[in-house]
């Protein structure tokens, strides 16, 4: 159901990499789409075959250097992975492991000799690989990995070893069946000294698919979803690794065992290495959001043709989407999905700029990128979990049938909240990134109890714009003060309210940390742990603000007046439904009066009624191909529409 407004909305959502999105929609047909009811073995066989059949020129290999068949475009690669999330999430994860994690680590952490030896075969999938970072006992806390890799200058080799079961590499994609080589993260030890976590290229299977000497491989076992991904476990029993297999862009070991690096501090070097791998988080958030858009498309279209209960005095049953309760479920989630689409676009653009820059590393910008990637990954995957479940319920019993795609989307995205970083841990990373600004300006945590500063200077530093800076500043500057009356749909007021909440929470976190530092000077863990709930709220408020700014910037870029007007209504709904969901905070802190709080709920309901006629347009603008949706209830849609028309004719005929 494509019209001019729909096409304009699609263009706005597709953004900079619209050419990749269009190419994938055109070239990936039904043969790539998920198959309900498969066994795990069938799914693995199919996905392995499809990874090798995927055309790499549609964007999946974009991040690789031009010399090896890529286009040096990391942003484009995340968009390609995002689109695969609408085709089949197992295919997206399998491809992400191969080209994003395994191949991405070789590109980012390796040097020219590694690139020349391996990248062509990685891109073609002739060399299938793993990303062996997570351990049974250490997931998010990568810096404390227990696997060791000890250098022996006599043989010019490393000894790679799993010292105990908790150090086993676990949940590793491509490990159980297909991986022949792994990028293994371990503690580098040479000359009796530890130099922190580094990465090595390690063969784990021979050409016949048998484990290499000293390598033990097992299957991670049955999973709730992602049946096509062969997650496994790997242990190493004093495996010999040649010195040249160290991915040594950031740390080198000479034949005599001398360690050298351009980054002297172990911790700084570690975070620099991990920072180059941020694309994984960007991709996971994007794919979760894409799957959510598919679920919303199914639920909205079903709700447009499914009837339930009659109006008093009317013989016709009411269409589901006409119920306010149903609109309350679907439309705010739809508005949030639009907001995240624009925020994801801004993030991908920033990542591309940072990772392809030829200038010296801008640590501040790199840190801001990592923080935003962590935060958006968290909120987008939580949004996926909540919204796909809501869409399942919105489709009633039909939503529980595997043939209608929703159960598969629910099962496949569930793990997204905890892989590529547990969401709670990631939000702490966001919060600590914000607090770092205070630390850099006013000293370490130990000094916070004594530091004095001008609050306004800190606020300006912390609330750095991430999108359309001049536009956002102009709107905020024009917003009335806190005590002045203003329409709740005023965009400047939305932006100012989101900023004010973030500032207040950030200032509150600092006050609490200072108070804790004064009492528990020698217990930094307790100081932070005591305010953990507060800093998590601060992180969420920060991501809400960044998302709103990106949405406003996206509207500003939209040239079609009718599409801009519709997007403005959707943005109103995103902003006000976010405020409404947190109205307890706004009321407790005097940011809303009870009367204004009630007014916001009334305006949200008004917006739902205004947007009701546009629900189908809004999901059609996601442009998910019919065969990708792969839902039987949508194939039955014409029959339901015909039945509705006959029923309406009968009622009109009396």
């Amino acid at each position: 159901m494509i019209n001019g407004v729909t096409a304009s909305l699609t263009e706005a959502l597709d953004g900079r990499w619209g050419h990749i999105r269009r190419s994938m929609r055109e070239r990936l047909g039904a043969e790539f789409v998920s198959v309900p009811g498969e066994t795990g073995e069938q799914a693995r066989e199919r996905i392995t075959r499809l990874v090798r059949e995927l055309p790499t020129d549609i964007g999946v290999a974009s991040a690789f250097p031009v010399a090896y068949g890529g286009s040096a475009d990391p942003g484009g690669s995340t968009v390609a992975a995002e689109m695969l999330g609408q085709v089949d999430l197992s295919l997206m994860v399998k491809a992400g492991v191969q080209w994003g994690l395994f191949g991405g680590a070789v590109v980012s952490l390796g040097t020219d000799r590694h690139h020349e030896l391996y990248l062509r075969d990685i891109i073609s999938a002739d060399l299938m690989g793993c990303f062996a970072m997570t351990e049974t006992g250490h997931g998010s806390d990568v810096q404390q990995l227990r696997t060791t890799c000890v250098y022996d200058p006599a043989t010019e080799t490393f000894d790679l070893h799993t010292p105990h079961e908790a150090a086993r590499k676990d949940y590793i994609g491509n490990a159980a069946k297909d991986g022949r080589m792994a990028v293994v993260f371990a503690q580098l030890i040479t000359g009796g000294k530890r130099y922190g976590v580094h990465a090595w290229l390690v063969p784990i299977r021979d050409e016949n698919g048998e484990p290499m000497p000293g390598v033990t491989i097992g299957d991670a076992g049955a999973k709730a979803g992602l049946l096509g991904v062969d997650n496994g476990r790997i242990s190493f029993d004093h495996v010999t690794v040649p010195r040249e297999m160290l991915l040594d862009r950031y740390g080198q070991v000479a034949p005599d065992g001398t360690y050298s690096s351009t980054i002297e501090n172990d911790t700084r070097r570690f975070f620099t290495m991990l920072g180059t791998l941020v694309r994984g988080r960007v991709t996971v958030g994007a794919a979760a959001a894409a799957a959510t858009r598919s679920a919303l498309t199914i639920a909205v279209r079903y709700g447009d043709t499914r009837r339930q209960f009659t109006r008093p005095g009317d013989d016709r049953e009411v269409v589901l989407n006409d119920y306010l309760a149903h609109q309350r479920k679907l439309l705010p989630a739809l508005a949030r999905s639009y907001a995240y689409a624009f925020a994801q676009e801004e993030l991908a653009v920033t990542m591309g700029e940072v990772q392809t820059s030829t200038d010296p590393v801008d640590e501040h910008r790199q840190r801001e990128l990592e923080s935003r990637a962590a935060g958006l990954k968290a909120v987008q995957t939580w949004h996926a979990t909540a919204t796909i479940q809501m869409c399942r319920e919105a489709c009633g019993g039909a939503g529980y049938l595997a043939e209608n795609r929703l159960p598969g989307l629910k099962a496949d995205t569930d793990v997204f909240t905890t892989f590529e970083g547990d969401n709670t841990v990631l939000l702490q990373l966001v919060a600590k990134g914000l607090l770092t600004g205070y630390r850099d300006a006013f000293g370490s945590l130990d000094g916070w109890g004594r530091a004095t500063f001008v609050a306004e200077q800190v606020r300006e530093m912390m609330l750095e714009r991430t999108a359309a800076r001049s536009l956002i500043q102009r709107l905020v500057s024009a917003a009335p003060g806190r005590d002045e009356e203003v329409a709740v749909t005023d965009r400047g007021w939305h932006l100012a309210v989101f900023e004010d909440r973030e500032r207040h929470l950030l200032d509150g976190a600092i006050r609490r940390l200072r108070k804790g530092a004064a009492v528990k000077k020698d217990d930094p863990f307790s100081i932070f742990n005591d305010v953990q709930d507060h800093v998590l709220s601060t992180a969420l408020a920060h991501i809400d603000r960044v998302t709103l700014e990106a949405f406003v910037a996206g509207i500003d870029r939209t040239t079609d007046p009718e599409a801009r007007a519709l997007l403005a209504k959707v943005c109103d709904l995103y902003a006000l439904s976010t405020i409404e969901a947190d109205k307890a905070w706004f009321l407790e802190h005097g940011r809303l009066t009870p009367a204004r709080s009630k007014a916001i709920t009334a305006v949200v309901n008004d917006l739902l009624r205004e947007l009701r006629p546009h629900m189908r347009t809004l999901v059609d603008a996601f442009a998910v191909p019919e065969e990708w949706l792969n839902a039987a209830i949508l194939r039955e849609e014409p029959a339901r529409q015909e039945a509705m028309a006959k029923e309406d004719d009968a009622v009109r005929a009396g």
Side-chain angles (χ1 to χ4, degrees), residues 158-162 179-180 184 201-217 234-242:
F158 288 93
D159 180 79
L160 176 64
H161 186 59
T162 303
R180 284 175 43 211
V184 180
L201 271 171
V202 182
I204 60 172
R205 283 188 175 88
D206 61 23
E207 293 183 356
N208 298 318
E210 296 300 319
M212 296 291 284
V215 178
T216 300
I217 303 173
I234 314 173
S235 295
F236 305 96
D237 185 9
H238 296 289
V239 172
T240 298
V241 181

Side-chain angles (χ1 to χ4, degrees), residues 57-260:
D57 63 342
I58 56 175
V60 292
S62 291
F64 290 95
V66 174
Y68 300 99
S71 54
D73 179 13
S77 73
T78 64
V79 167
E82 173 187 339
M83 298 300 286
L84 287 180
Q86 292 185 326
V87 180
D88 186 322
L89 284 155
S90 281
L91 181 59
M92 172 262 153
V93 171
K94 184 87 168 179
V97 169
Q98 174 66 18
W99 291 306
L101 295 177
F102 175 57
V106 175
V107 170
S108 300
L109 302 180
T111 51
D112 289 344
R113 72 174 184 275
H114 302 112
H115 298 173
E116 187 62 31
L117 283 170
Y118 301 111
L119 287 189
R120 293 181 183 87
D121 286 344
I122 291 174
I123 292 173
S124 67
D126 289 333
L127 175 61
M128 296 287 279
C130 313
F131 185 82
M133 177 182 282
T134 299
E135 295 178 356
T136 305
H138 285 85
S140 298
D141 190 6
V142 178
Q143 206 167 4
Q144 302 301 321
L145 294 180
R146 297 296 193 246
T147 303
T148 58
C149 209
V150 183
Y151 184 69
D152 179 5
T155 60
E156 296 188 16
T157 62
F158 288 93
D159 180 79
L160 176 64
H161 186 59
T162 303
H164 47 73
E165 189 171 345
R168 177 187 63 193
K169 298 298 180 182
D170 216 341
Y171 319 115
I172 309 301
N174 269 1
K177 175 175 173 282
D178 292 325
R180 284 175 43 211
M181 186 173 280
V183 171
V184 180
F185 290 80
Q187 301 286 348
L188 189 156
I189 303 171
T190 181
K193 181 179 178 182
R194 286 179 179 254
Y195 288 90
V197 174
H198 288 64
W200 289 259
L201 271 171
V202 182
I204 60 172
R205 283 188 175 88
D206 61 23
E207 293 183 356
N208 298 318
E210 296 300 319
M212 296 291 284
V215 178
T216 300
I217 303 173
D219 197 304
K223 307 190 298 291
L226 298 176
L227 300 185
V229 183
D230 53 320
N231 295 93
R233 296 164 173 154
I234 314 173
S235 295
F236 305 96
D237 185 9
H238 296 289
V239 172
T240 298
V241 181
R243 183 177 66 89
E244 293 77 13
M245 300 300 272
L246 171 66
L247 295 174
D248 57 354
R249 178 179 176 185
Y250 294 101
Q252 303 80 39
V253 174
D256 67 356
T258 302
Y259 181 85
S260 61

Side-chain angles (χ1 to χ4, degrees), residues 285-348:
T292 308
R293 294 195 292 271
S294 293
L296 283 165
T297 300
I298 294 168
V300 166
R301 286 176 54 178
Y302 182 69
D304 247 3
T305 57
R306 177 72 164 89
R307 291 183 180 273
Q308 190 78 284
F309 303 111
T310 57
R311 302 173 191 266
D314 198 337
D315 293 332
R316 292 178 296 176
E317 292 179 306
V318 178
V319 172
L320 290 180
N321 284 348
D322 283 345
Y323 285 102
L324 176 63
H326 210 69
Q327 295 163 17
R328 271 274 176 183
K329 292 178 180 179
L330 294 174
L331 276 167
L334 192 51
R336 187 164 292 271
S337 287
Y338 264 77
Y340 288 152
F342 288 114
Q344 180 68 30
E345 168 84 358
E346 293 281 356
L347 177 62

Side-chain angles (χ1 to χ4, degrees), residues 257-273:
T258 302
Y259 181 85
S260 61
S261 174
T262 56
I263 306 174
E264 293 185 7
N265 182 274
D266 289 353
T267 299
R268 183 164 167 258
R269 181 173 56 251
F270 168 76
F271 283 107
T272 299
M273 291 171 62

Side-chain angles (χ1 to χ4, degrees), residues 285-567:
T292 308
R293 294 195 292 271
S294 293
L296 283 165
T297 300
I298 294 168
V300 166
R301 286 176 54 178
Y302 182 69
D304 247 3
T305 57
R306 177 72 164 89
R307 291 183 180 273
Q308 190 78 284
F309 303 111
T310 57
R311 302 173 191 266
D314 198 337
D315 293 332
R316 292 178 296 176
E317 292 179 306
V318 178
V319 172
L320 290 180
N321 284 348
D322 283 345
Y323 285 102
L324 176 63
H326 210 69
Q327 295 163 17
R328 271 274 176 183
K329 292 178 180 179
L330 294 174
L331 276 167
L334 192 51
R336 187 164 292 271
S337 287
Y338 264 77
Y340 288 152
F342 288 114
Q344 180 68 30
E345 168 84 358
E346 293 281 356
L347 177 62
V349 169
T350 300
M351 184 190 69
E353 291 173 352
V354 170
Q355 295 195 341
T356 59
S357 174
T358 58
D359 296 332
V361 175
D362 182 339
E363 288 192 23
H364 173 75
R365 200 169 188 214
Q366 176 69 37
R367 188 170 63 194
E368 195 278 331
L369 168 65
E370 292 165 12
S371 176
R372 234 196 313 165
L376 279 171
K377 183 267 180 185
V379 296
Q380 287 187 107
T381 54
W382 273 327
H383 176 59
T385 296
T387 301
I388 294 170
Q389 172 64 22
M390 178 270 294
C391 289
R392 205 292 297 158
E393 294 178 20
C395 292
Y400 195 61
L401 297 177
E403 67 176 9
N404 291 324
R405 190 76 192 283
L406 294 169
L409 292 175
K410 186 173 184 290
D412 287 346
T413 56
D414 190 55
V415 74
F416 282 29
T417 60
T418 51
F419 89 146
E420 280 297 315
D422 175 273
N423 283 357
T424 300
V425 175
L426 292 183
L427 284 183
Q428 290 181 86
L429 187 154
V430 175
K432 288 178 179 178
L434 296 171
L435 295 170
T436 296
Y438 283 87
R439 184 195 69 199
D440 291 347
F442 309 109
S444 67
L445 179 63
D446 293 338
W448 279 350
R450 297 181 299 275
T452 58
F453 58 90
V454 180
E456 285 304 317
Q457 291 176 341
V458 175
R459 288 172 174 172
E460 287 304 312
M461 178 180 67
M462 299 318 301
L463 294 185
E464 184 175 334
R465 309 291 182 205
T466 58
R469 292 169 178 80
S470 60
L471 168 66
I472 303 299
Q473 187 59 56
R474 187 171 68 250
L475 289 169
V476 171
S477 298
R482 186 187 299 173
D483 298 328
E484 297 179 61
E485 198 62 36
V486 61
V488 296
T489 53
D490 182 89
R491 186 72 67 235
W493 183 74
H494 297 161
L495 291 161
V497 165
F498 277 46
E499 283 195 2
D500 177 63
R501 179 177 58 155
E502 181 184 350
R503 283 175 174 165
H504 184 94
L505 287 167
L506 192 54
D507 287 344
I510 286 297
R511 285 195 301 272
R512 286 167 173 79
L513 285 166
R514 283 176 169 166
K515 183 178 179 181
V519 176
K520 303 177 179 180
K521 295 180 181 179
D522 299 322
D523 190 1
F525 170 79
S526 292
I527 293 170
F528 191 83
N529 195 49
D530 288 348
V531 298
Q532 193 174 35
D533 57 341
H534 199 87
V535 298
L536 291 174
S537 296
T538 303
L540 286 170
H542 172 71
I543 296 301
D544 282 345
R545 193 259 300 175
V546 168
T547 299
L548 178 59
E549 289 182 357
F551 201 161
V552 173
I555 295 172
D556 189 60
R557 292 192 301 269
T558 304
T559 55
D560 182 337
E562 196 172 349
R564 279 174 63 107
L566 183 53
L567 282 174

